[in-house]
Amino acid sequence: MTALRILRGIEFARPRNAEPLLLDLYLPGAAAAGAHQGGRPAVIHLHGGGWRTGERSSLGPAVDGFGFSPIEQLADAGFVVASADYRLTDVATFPAQLLDAKAAVRWLRAHAADYGVDPDRIYAWGDSAGGHLACLLGLTAGFPAFEVHDGAGKGIGSHGADAHVAAVAAWYPPTDLTRMGQQARPDAVARADDPGSRESLLIGAQPADAPDKARAASPVAYVHPDAPPFLLIHGTADRFVPAAQSAGLAEALEAAGNAVELLLLEDADHMWTTPDGGSSAAEQATAATIDFFRRQAEQH
């Protein structure tokens, strides 16, 4: 039996006029479940931070502070996990972030044999802004607007690998930037239509003033009947991203005939903070995510 290995700081892309992008690769121990002849299932993880902050291998200060590492738990369950950087909004606006996420998928698929990964069982998972990108990964495969251009999105040594993912799990993701501001709770800490909001920095304009740009960056705009299975998890007391964002995407996916699971955690705020200060919501979300990916891996 060998323990979990973590390979940190692997370069996977070099966008033009930006620093190289890195990922951390979590490799399960030899005795972990999940492997078969085609290799282990794998998950691309994308961090949160409002597209303007955050870093790979983090799920935000609150979740990190609970000390039980959902990423390592997923690896211990038998999944290779690649937690990847992407360009933040002080460097580039949308769709740069999505192109970088696609580059990470392409890199992992192209190097699947090197790390014992099954290229047909690559999934996406993200929290908050990373959940937004994970949703877009699941919904925009093959969309010409988000294919490789100007060197972005290609990935180092990807050799023509594609960027589709076979399932998506997203924690409290923004999914509809055109409605996000009006859906904000009365006690919201941040609203998408506030001047200088995270969403305005993402698209380079206030969402209310640029509905076409807001829609172009919204996962709900790309729902189609052949989407992969989705798991959306959101706290009902989220003061940053309204729970209606997950509920609306779930409704759209279901209406299009797709498999979608929506889990709403009562009284949980962003990053799974709760009135009692405990970690129960984060633990529930982590367990549901691992269970979801395990079920997807067992079906293929």
Side-chain angles (χ1 to χ4, degrees), residues 6-42:
I6 306 175
L7 308 180
R8 299 192 185 276
I10 300 173
E11 184 177 345
F12 71 89
R14 295 179 189 172
R16 187 172 298 175
N17 300 321
E19 294 294 318
L21 297 175
L22 309 179
L23 60 78
D24 296 337
L25 199 62
Y26 296 73
L27 300 172
H36 62 39
Q37 188 173 2
R40 291 191 178 278

Side-chain angles (χ1 to χ4, degrees), residues 244-270:
Q245 290 281 294
S246 282
L249 180 58
E251 182 179 358
L253 287 164
E254 186 174 16
N258 296 300
V260 57
E261 302 173 29
L262 174 64
L263 176 59
L264 298 177
L265 302 185
E266 288 296 323
D267 299 324
D269 199 346
H270 213 64

Side-chain angles (χ1 to χ4, degrees), residues 55-280:
E55 57 188 357
R56 66 184 187 276
S57 294
S58 172
L59 286 98
V63 178
D64 292 349
F66 292 135
F68 58 80
S69 186
I71 293 175
E72 292 189 16
Q73 285 194 49
L74 188 54
D76 287 340
F79 293 82
V80 173
V81 183
S83 188
D85 286 334
Y86 52 87
R87 281 170 287 175
L88 302 177
T89 51
D90 62 344
V91 175
T93 55
F94 186 83
Q97 296 73 23
L98 176 56
L99 295 176
D100 296 344
K102 287 178 178 284
V105 178
R106 289 189 174 98
W107 181 91
L108 184 58
R109 180 162 281 119
H111 294 84
D114 299 334
Y115 298 105
V117 168
D118 182 347
D120 294 324
R121 295 192 294 167
I122 296 177
Y123 312 118
W125 168 39
D127 50 294
S128 196
H132 163 266
L133 297 175
C135 290
L136 285 169
L137 279 178
L139 293 168
T140 63
F143 273 66
F146 302 128
E147 291 306 300
V148 178
H149 59 81
D150 294 335
K154 185 176 181 180
I156 293 173
S158 293
H159 308 301
D162 68 53
H164 80 273
V165 294
V168 174
W171 292 3
Y172 33 82
T175 68
D176 186 351
L177 274 58
T178 66
R179 302 181 64 199
M180 192 171 170
Q182 69 193 57
Q183 291 174 340
R185 291 168 54 93
D187 60 348
V189 173
R191 293 174 172 83
D193 291 335
D194 289 343
S197 70
R198 297 163 177 82
E199 293 73 24
S200 68
L201 294 175
L202 177 68
I203 64 174
Q206 292 298 124
D209 297 335
D212 289 345
K213 286 186 175 182
R215 183 166 177 78
S218 297
V220 73
Y222 303 98
V223 170
H224 56 86
D226 297 318
F230 268 70
L231 170 66
L232 303 169
I233 315 181
H234 219 119
T236 62
D238 196 318
R239 295 175 297 160
F240 288 85
V241 179
Q245 290 281 294
S246 282
L249 180 58
E251 182 179 358
L253 287 164
E254 186 174 16
N258 296 300
V260 57
E261 302 173 29
L262 174 64
L263 176 59
L264 298 177
L265 302 185
E266 288 296 323
D267 299 324
D269 199 346
H270 213 64
M271 291 189 287
W272 305 132
T273 59
T274 56
D276 66 5
S279 62
S280 60

